[in-house]
């Protein structure tokens, strides 16, 4: 069950029979017990920037925290970071270790990536209990000048979706055959076809309203005859208009009372637009006027006399207008107005209709997802009830104000944002020079905490980018404050989250954001219950499974299990399965791409056991909450960054620091595959077929056993009791089955009809790459797949191979040093990410320094430093250096 929903319901649900009689204290005790059993873990990634080109690397630092206090989490020791493509597919997934809430990593963007808006998603296993609510989920823009090199312009015109294609020099892709496919948000194929571009590189695809928000995929060949795919998000409808939404504070408008109404003005693409709205009474008088900010949000108070609907007239910044009707006011009930303008106290006014003024208790509760910070009550004996809470008692972030009746049933919910400067991390930063020139050293010093702090140690990360080379303003991008204090607790898309924390904290704009996106109608249908979570915290990598009796579902109790890494047979570990046959190897720590062999024997030492290891599961890829930020035509939009990256990569290639990207023309192969060729899937480290001898599947067709097939047929190999030995010294040869290092006597267990090829490596030019494993030669066996032939029913007994996801091996960013005698230099330094410093730890005095060298290009260098201390205080500072 959705954990967030349960936590929200904890104030609004009657826990079974008899709950109505409980007092507030017993309810709070139950709430706190639930909160303690299900702590909220959040994750934030500090990444170096938010727009990239294929071939670049995303650098990130992970911060995992607990609850609204943002204490570094010790719940999880493993986090997952994924890159999701515009087609909602995982194109990269890594597992990183988390130590005391902190982790680091990187993702290299492959040359073959489709241009478009990608998502970075990060989470822990424990966070999966919340159905992705607290996952880190942000958009990045990725252009491709490595293999793509095609610019597009797309738009809806007269019932057709029109696309213009040209190369990066501006020459149209004329008379080019384009295959297209339209896929619905649910994955259903809506239309497919083939068209040819005009002499101006233009193509038109008929558009219907059924295609709203679907994905259009096109395939064609570029100038270099390399295959190119592009993805376009189709608009919502053929008629594109601005829209206006109205949100009464607390959820309802109440007649004969002061109300506050928030508005949100949206363009057809879901982004905000400035607007001016006039709200009129039923008699035509002006009740309120609302000016929205650049993100399309605003609010105003107004007095409502009766229950007749009011109308509003809106003029948008683009000159268009719209008439709207507000929600109908209620004659009976409650509403609320919050006053967050006082620096010391948070005030709330609850308006009560005449028929509800019966003297019963009204409860005011300030809480965060089940953790209660303040509670008070008043009798409903007048039309206006005033509540207040000292802000010193409240943490920074989004809290929920819940108004309950005397039966502790929900009446109103209102999120509020609290920000106390005294509860942020004091962070002083300086650079040794505010201006500099090319290839010069810059030193950054920083100091965290106050002299009165018991512990001043903080953990931070820093990025340095040349903003003159970036299209988007990085100061508007998500940051540690917008993520951990705001985004994780708000549903839906937040446009330019950095806007709210740029310069002075924009509390008024944040309040309008909460009024339009943070409010949720209260659901009282689900009971409050503490149940065992579906996903448990991961402290280490583990391999789990079940041992079953051969060919049956019955467990093999007390089976002796052994886990062997194929790269080193001496590092095996063992365990014993329980009475139900379940086993677990835990406390594992290994890099990615390591394969393991699991063997099992029953209590009598027999291997008549099936080993079942369930595949690892990933969270479902749901709709992108940041969908309005998705962009089409990214290559064209970020053309300056694309061209700059091509020049930069060319210099790296010339210096041998980057491999060249090679576009291979598609060809049609009609020749038959030659006989006696090794399988293309061969694990031969020298390459398939690079061996002293190769035996193909055709040579094994008439054999009963594999040993019979190979005995006397392999040159330089002799068999003793079914085990292959080299004729040079008589040593036992190493057998490798599908990349797994297995025992030599296993040959007798392999059905020759399952084998695609056998390779024999005897000479040192082939065996040297295997080190000590190749001392006596090797036999490489590659089994068939469904593409080769139907697999036989043969399954090895008591043995299984697994390749779980290991930890990502972190890279280090290239850091040139321009000093006399230095060998770490770039001949052509055109970096956009100038520096990445992920592991800054201040000393006991709260001090730390780092340095970097400027590149060959001038501009404004933006230094962003962010992190937190061990009390959960968040800090962020930006500095600029003007490089001439």
């Amino acid at each position: 069950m959705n954990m967030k929903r349960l936590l929200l319901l904890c104030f609004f649900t009657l826990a079974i029979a008899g709950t109505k009689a409980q007092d507030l204290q017993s309810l709070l005790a139950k709430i706190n017990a639930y909160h303690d059993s299900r702590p909220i873990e959040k994750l934030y990634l500090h990444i170096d920037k938010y727009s990239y080109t294929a071939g670049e690397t995303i650098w990130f630092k992970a911060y995992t925290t607990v609850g609204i206090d943002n204490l570094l989490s010790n719940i999880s020791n493993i986090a997952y970071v994924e890159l999701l493509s515009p087609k909602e597919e995982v194109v990269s997934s890594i597992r990183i270790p988390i130590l005391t809430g902190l982790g680091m990593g990187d993702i290299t963007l492959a040359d073959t990536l489709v241009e478009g808006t990608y998502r970075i998603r990060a989470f822990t296993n424990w966070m999966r209990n919340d159905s992705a609510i607290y996952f880190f989920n942000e958009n990045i823009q990725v252009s491709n000048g490595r293999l793509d090199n095609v610019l597009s312009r797309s738009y809806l015109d007269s019932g057709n979706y029109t696309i213009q294609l040209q190369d990066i020099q501006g020459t149209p892709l004329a008379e080019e055959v384009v295959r297209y496919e339209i896929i619905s948000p649910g994955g259903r194929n809506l239309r497919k076809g083939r068209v040819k571009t005009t002499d101006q590189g233009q193509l038109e695809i008929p558009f219907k309203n059924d295609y709203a928000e679907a994905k259009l995929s096109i395939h064609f060949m570029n100038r270099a005859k390399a295959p190119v795919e592009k993805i376009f998000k189709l608009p919502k409808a053929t008629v594109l208009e601005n829209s206006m939404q109205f949100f009464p504070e607390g959820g309802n408008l109440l007649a004969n009372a002061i109300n506050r109404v928030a508005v949100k003005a949206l363009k057809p693409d879901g982004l905000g637009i400035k607007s001016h709205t006039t709200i009129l009474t039923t008699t035509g008088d002006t009740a309120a006027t609302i000016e929205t900010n650049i993100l399309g949000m605003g609010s105003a108070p107004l007095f409502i006399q009766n229950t007749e609907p009011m109308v509003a007239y809106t003029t948008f910044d683009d000159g268009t207008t719209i008439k709207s009707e507000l929600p109908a006011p209620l004659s009976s009930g409650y509403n609320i107005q919050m006053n967050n303008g006082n620096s010391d106290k948070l005030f709330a006014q609850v308006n009560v209709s005449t028929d509800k003024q019966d003297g019963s208790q009204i409860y005011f509760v300030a809480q965060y997802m089940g953790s209660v910070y303040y509670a008070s009550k008043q009798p409903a004996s007048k039309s206006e009830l005033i509540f207040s809470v000292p802000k010193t008692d409240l943490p920074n972030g989004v809290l929920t104000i819940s108004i309950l009746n005397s039966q502790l049933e929900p009446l109103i919910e209102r999120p509020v944002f609290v920000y106390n400067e005294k509860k942020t991390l004091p962070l002083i930063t300086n650079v040794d020079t505010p201006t500099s020139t090319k290839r010069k050293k810059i030193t950054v010093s920083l100091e965290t905490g106050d002299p009165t702090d018991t512990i001043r140690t903080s953990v931070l990360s820093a990025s340095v980018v040349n903003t003159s080379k970036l299209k988007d303003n990085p100061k508007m991008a998500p940051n540690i404050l917008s993520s951990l204090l705001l985004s994780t607790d708000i549903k839906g898309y937040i446009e330019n989250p950095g806007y709210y924390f740029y310069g002075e904290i924009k509390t008024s704009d944040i309040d309008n954001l909460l009024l339009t996106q943070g409010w949720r109608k209260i659901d009282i249908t689900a009971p409050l219950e503490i149940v065992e979570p579906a996903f448990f915290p991961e402290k280490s990598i583990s391999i789990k499974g079940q041992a079953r009796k051969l060919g049956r579902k019955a467990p093999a109790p007390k089976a002796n299990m052994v886990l062997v890494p194929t790269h080193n047979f001496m590092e095996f570990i063992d365990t014993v399965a329980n009475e139900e046959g379940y086993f677990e190897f835990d406390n594992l720590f290994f890099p990615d791409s390591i394969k393991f062999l699991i063997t099992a024997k029953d209590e009598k030492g027999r291997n008549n056991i099936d080993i079942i290891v369930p595949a690892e599961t990933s969270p479902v890829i749901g709709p992108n909450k940041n969908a309005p930020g998705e962009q089409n035509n990214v290559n064209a939009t970020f053309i300056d960054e694309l061209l700059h990256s091509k020049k930069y990569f060319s210099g790296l290639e010339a210096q041998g620091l980057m491999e060249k990207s090679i576009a291979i023309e598609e060809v049609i192969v009609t020749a038959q595959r030659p006989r006696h060729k090794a399988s293309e899937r061969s694990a031969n480290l020298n390459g398939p077929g690079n061996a002293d001898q190769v035996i193909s599947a055709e040579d094994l067709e008439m054999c009963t056993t594999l040993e019979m097939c190979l005995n006397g047929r392999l040159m330089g190999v002799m068999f003793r009791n079914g085990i292959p030995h080299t004729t040079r010294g008589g040593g036992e040869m190493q057998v490798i089955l599908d990349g797994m290092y297995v025992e030599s006597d296993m040959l007798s267990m392999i059905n020759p009809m399952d084998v695609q090829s056998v390779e024999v490596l005897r000479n040192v030019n082939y065996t040297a790459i295997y080190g000590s494993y190749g001392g006596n030669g090797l036999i490489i066996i590659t089994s068939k797949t469904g593409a080769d032939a139907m697999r036989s029913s043969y399954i090895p007994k008591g043995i299984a191979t697994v390749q779980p996801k290991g930890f990502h091996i972190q890279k280090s960013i290239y850091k040139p040093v321009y000093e006399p005698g230095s060998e770490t230099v770039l001949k052509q330094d055109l970096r956009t990410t100038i520096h990445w410093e992920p592991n800054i730890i201040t000393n006991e005095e709260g001090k730390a320094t780092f340095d970097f060298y400027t590149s060959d290009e001038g501009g404004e260098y933006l230094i962003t430093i962010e992190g937190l201390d061990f009390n959960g205080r968040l800090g962020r500072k930006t500095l600029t250096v003007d490089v001439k």
Side-chain angles (χ1 to χ4, degrees):
M1 182 175 290
N2 185 305
M3 183 173 112
K4 183 173 183 181
R5 186 164 176 261
L6 279 175
L7 286 169
L8 285 172
L9 293 174
C10 64
F11 289 99
F12 317 134
T13 306
L14 305 179
I16 22 186
T19 305
K20 288 189 176 182
Q22 68 182 338
D23 58 16
L24 182 62
Q25 293 303 318
S26 62
L27 175 62
L28 297 184
K30 182 177 293 186
I31 291 166
N32 287 329
Y34 187 96
H35 174 77
D36 292 341
S37 71
R38 301 292 288 270
I40 303 295
E41 191 172 44
K42 298 185 288 187
L43 193 152
Y44 166 70
L45 293 186
H46 178 194
I47 63 178
D48 60 315
K49 55 183 180 176
Y50 279 83
S51 61
Y52 298 86
T53 63
E56 288 190 300
T57 297
I58 303 170
W59 305 98
F60 65 83
K61 168 78 170 283
Y63 297 86
T64 57
T65 66
V66 177
I68 197 171
D69 294 312
N70 287 308
L71 298 174
L72 286 168
S73 174
N74 61 1
I75 296 175
S76 300
N77 290 344
I78 293 175
Y80 301 85
V81 182
E82 298 176 339
L83 183 66
L84 309 183
S85 75
K87 298 172 70 173
E88 305 294 342
E89 298 173 345
V90 178
V91 295
S92 181
S93 177
I94 63 174
R95 175 186 249 164
I96 63 171
I98 298 293
L99 181 63
T100 320
L102 305 170
M104 292 171 282
D106 53 85
I107 296 176
T108 300
L109 300 175
D111 293 350
T112 54
L113 289 183
V114 176
E115 63 154 311
T117 300
Y118 285 71
R119 277 199 271 168
I120 299 180
R121 184 171 76 163
F123 56 92
T124 66
N125 199 55
W126 176 254
M127 292 168 66
R128 296 176 66 180
N129 291 299
D130 298 311
S131 302
I133 291 172
Y134 292 106
F135 287 14
F136 177 85
N137 192 340
E138 294 293 347
N139 292 345
I140 63 170
Q141 310 303 329
V142 178
S143 58
N144 189 326
R146 300 287 283 168
L147 292 179
D148 186 325
N149 292 308
V150 175
L151 308 181
S152 62
R153 187 170 72 92
S154 61
Y155 52 92
L156 187 62
D157 180 35
S158 301
N160 289 323
Y161 194 76
T162 302
I163 302 172
Q164 181 83 34
L165 300 175
Q166 63 183 38
D167 61 24
I168 57 177
Q169 285 78 35
T171 305
L173 264 66
E175 303 297 325
E176 185 66 50
V177 175
V178 177
R179 292 178 289 111
Y180 71 87
E181 185 176 21
I182 300 175
I183 305 297
S184 73
R188 187 166 58 92
N189 189 303
L190 301 177
R191 183 188 180 111
K192 63 170 53 177
R194 184 187 298 259
V195 295
K196 181 179 286 189
T197 61
T198 66
D199 57 356
Q200 295 301 311
Q202 183 172 297
L203 62 100
E204 293 182 345
I205 298 174
F207 181 86
K208 300 191 300 184
N209 284 338
D210 293 345
Y211 303 160
E213 297 188 278
K215 293 292 179 71
L216 167 64
S217 170
I218 66 173
H219 296 260
F220 57 94
M221 307 293 285
N222 66 9
R223 294 279 184 215
K225 298 303 178 183
V228 173
E229 180 183 12
K230 291 188 181 294
I231 307 295
F232 301 89
K233 180 181 178 181
L234 298 179
K236 291 184 178 180
T238 53
V239 180
L240 305 178
E241 296 179 343
N242 297 326
S243 62
M244 176 64 70
Q245 298 174 331
F246 296 86
F247 300 88
E249 184 172 18
N252 296 306
L253 296 176
L254 185 63
N256 299 309
I258 295 178
N259 295 259
R260 188 172 192 86
V261 175
V263 298
K264 189 166 188 178
L266 295 174
K267 295 183 291 186
D269 59 7
L271 301 179
I273 181 174
K274 290 191 69 174
S275 66
H276 174 89
T277 297
T278 301
I279 300 176
L280 303 180
T281 65
T282 52
T283 59
D285 297 324
T286 298
T289 60
I290 303 175
E291 295 278 351
T292 64
N293 59 19
I294 60 173
L295 301 178
M297 287 171 284
S299 65
L302 73 161
F303 183 81
I304 298 179
Q305 293 181 326
N306 52 51
T307 58
E308 296 184 18
M310 306 173 75
V311 295
Y313 294 89
T314 300
T315 301
F316 298 99
D317 208 34
D318 60 6
T320 60
T321 61
I322 191 174
K323 177 183 177 181
S324 310
E325 186 174 284
L326 273 66
L330 303 178
S331 60
S332 174
Y334 310 83
N335 79 349
I336 190 171
Q337 286 88 52
M338 299 297 305
N339 183 346
N340 197 13
N342 189 284
S343 60
D344 298 321
K345 287 189 176 183
L346 179 67
F347 293 94
Q349 176 180 308
V350 177
N351 295 322
V352 185
S353 63
T354 302
D355 62 309
K356 300 294 184 180
Q357 298 172 25
D358 54 8
S360 60
Q361 294 295 331
I362 297 294
Y363 292 94
F364 172 94
V365 181
Q367 53 95 6
Y368 173 79
M369 303 305 294
S371 182
V372 179
Y373 290 90
Y374 186 85
S376 64
K377 64 180 180 178
Q378 287 190 43
S381 55
K382 51 186 178 180
S383 60
E384 298 177 356
L385 306 179
I386 306 297
F387 296 91
S388 66
V389 51
K391 289 187 175 180
T392 54
D393 299 337
L394 303 177
N396 285 352
V398 178
L399 296 175
T400 299
I401 302 301
S402 299
I403 305 299
L404 313 177
N405 64 14
S406 59
Q407 299 299 306
L408 304 182
E409 296 170 327
L411 300 175
I412 298 171
E413 177 188 272
R414 166 69 154 93
V416 295
F417 181 76
V418 177
Y419 187 83
N420 187 338
E421 189 72 32
K422 297 178 181 178
K423 295 185 178 182
T424 62
L425 175 65
L427 178 56
I428 301 172
T429 56
N430 290 290
V431 291
D432 57 351
T433 174
T435 61
S436 185
T437 55
K438 301 171 185 177
R439 299 200 174 202
K440 295 298 182 181
K441 184 178 180 179
I442 303 290
T443 300
V444 181
S445 59
L446 52 95
E447 182 176 348
T448 59
D450 290 319
T452 57
D453 291 338
T454 304
I455 299 176
R456 298 186 65 177
T457 301
S458 301
V459 288
L460 307 109
S461 48
S463 65
V464 184
V465 296
N466 186 346
T467 60
S468 66
K469 302 302 174 184
L470 298 176
K471 177 183 178 295
D472 291 339
N473 185 355
K475 297 176 183 178
M476 296 293 104
N479 57 59
I480 194 170
L481 300 179
S482 68
S483 180
L484 294 181
L485 297 183
L486 193 62
S487 301
T488 53
D489 295 307
I490 293 183
K491 293 182 176 180
Y493 174 62
I494 301 179
E495 183 180 356
N496 293 336
Y499 162 83
Y500 300 98
F501 297 90
Y502 180 52
E504 294 293 326
I505 305 299
K506 299 175 178 60
T507 53
S508 177
D509 287 328
I510 293 176
D511 198 54
N512 288 330
L513 174 68
L514 293 177
L515 284 170
T516 56
Q517 287 185 221
W519 182 84
R520 298 171 296 278
K521 283 192 174 182
I522 300 165
D523 184 355
I524 60 172
T525 60
L528 174 65
E529 56 182 328
I530 299 177
V531 296
E532 185 176 89
F535 301 95
F536 290 90
E538 290 180 311
K539 298 298 183 181
S540 66
I541 300 178
S542 63
I543 299 175
K544 306 176 183 178
Q546 186 184 26
R548 298 178 181 174
K549 294 181 179 180
L550 188 65
R552 300 164 58 187
K553 293 184 178 180
K558 303 297 183 180
N560 295 301
M561 313 298 300
V562 179
L563 179 71
V564 184
T566 57
H567 70 286
N568 189 345
F569 289 147
M570 302 304 295
E571 293 183 354
F572 68 89
I573 58 176
D574 55 15
T575 189
V576 177
N578 63 18
E579 292 292 341
E580 288 74 38
Y582 290 104
F583 63 89
E584 178 178 2
F585 300 100
D586 56 7
N587 296 320
L588 303 178
F589 190 99
F590 54 88
D592 211 0
S593 302
I594 296 294
K595 295 182 180 180
F596 293 87
L597 190 68
I598 302 177
T599 63
K601 293 187 177 181
D602 60 22
E603 293 180 287
K604 296 181 180 180
R606 296 174 300 191
N607 63 349
N608 295 326
I609 292 176
D610 288 330
I611 302 173
I612 309 299
V613 179
E616 296 180 345
T617 61
S618 296
V620 174
I621 300 177
N624 184 7
K625 65 175 287 188
N626 301 316
E630 296 175 350
Q631 298 186 34
N632 295 331
N633 314 306
V634 169
N635 275 3
T637 303
F638 294 84
I639 180 61
D640 291 337
E641 292 185 28
L642 185 151
L643 294 175
H644 180 267
S645 71
K646 289 179 72 68
K647 188 176 179 181
Y648 175 48
F649 293 155
S650 177
L652 294 180
E653 291 169 359
Q655 199 171 340
L657 297 175
M658 186 176 190
E659 293 184 0
K660 291 186 177 182
S661 179
I662 302 175
I664 301 177
E665 183 178 350
E666 286 187 331
V667 296
I668 299 175
V669 179
T670 57
Q672 292 185 347
R673 178 179 174 177
R675 294 172 61 88
H676 307 296
K677 183 177 179 180
S679 170
E680 295 177 354
R681 298 178 298 99
S682 168
N684 187 347
L685 298 181
N686 302 285
N690 292 318
D692 294 294
Q693 186 179 0
V694 178
I695 303 296
S696 68
E698 291 88 342
D699 298 317
L700 306 175
E701 291 176 349
M702 304 305 294
C703 300
T704 306
T705 66
L706 185 59
E707 177 192 350
M708 180 187 301
C709 286
L710 301 181
N711 196 354
R713 185 174 289 184
L714 301 185
M715 294 179 293
V717 179
M718 57 183 178
F719 282 80
R720 297 174 182 168
N721 298 321
I723 297 176
H725 294 259
T726 177
T727 57
R728 297 175 182 174
E732 184 176 322
M733 300 180 71
Q734 176 66 60
V735 176
I736 299 179
L737 173 62
D738 289 336
M740 303 291 105
Y741 291 69
V742 299
E743 298 294 339
S744 299
D745 60 1
M746 193 175 170
L747 285 175
S748 61
M749 303 166 57
I750 301 175
N751 188 337
M753 298 303 293
D754 289 335
V755 176
Q756 183 65 24
S757 66
V758 178
E759 298 164 86
V760 181
L761 312 183
R762 293 185 297 108
N763 291 326
V764 68
N765 55 324
Y766 293 131
T767 61
I769 195 172
Y770 288 91
S772 60
Y773 293 105
N776 295 317
L778 304 97
I779 295 178
I780 313 286
I781 302 174
T782 306
S783 64
K784 293 179 180 178
T785 65
D788 299 320
M790 294 297 292
R791 293 293 299 263
S792 75
S793 59
Y794 166 75
I795 299 177
K797 297 186 296 182
I799 190 169
T801 57
V802 293
Q803 188 175 357
K805 184 183 293 295
F807 285 124
H808 174 69
I809 300 175
Q810 180 190 351
K811 297 190 303 184
S812 296
I813 192 170
Y814 188 84
K815 300 178 181 180
V817 176
Y818 298 118
E819 299 292 348
S822 172
E823 296 182 357
T824 312
V825 297
L826 291 174
K827 295 178 181 179
Q828 178 183 257
D829 192 345
L830 304 178
R831 291 169 292 152
T832 301
T833 295
I834 303 297
H835 188 71
W836 172 247
E837 195 75 35
N839 194 28
I840 302 173
I841 303 175
T842 59
N843 60 21
E844 63 274 7
E845 296 178 347
K847 297 181 179 180
T849 62
F850 67 91
D851 55 61
F852 61 91
Y853 286 81
T854 60
S855 71
D856 288 338
E857 297 181 302
E860 182 186 74
Y861 285 23
L862 177 67
I863 306 169
T864 302
I865 304 169
E866 53 187 31
L868 71 167
D869 67 5
F870 293 103
N871 293 316
R873 295 185 299 179
L874 306 179
R876 184 176 189 271
K877 280 292 178 68
T878 59
L879 300 166
T880 58
V881 176
D882 187 16
V883 178
K884 305 296 185 181

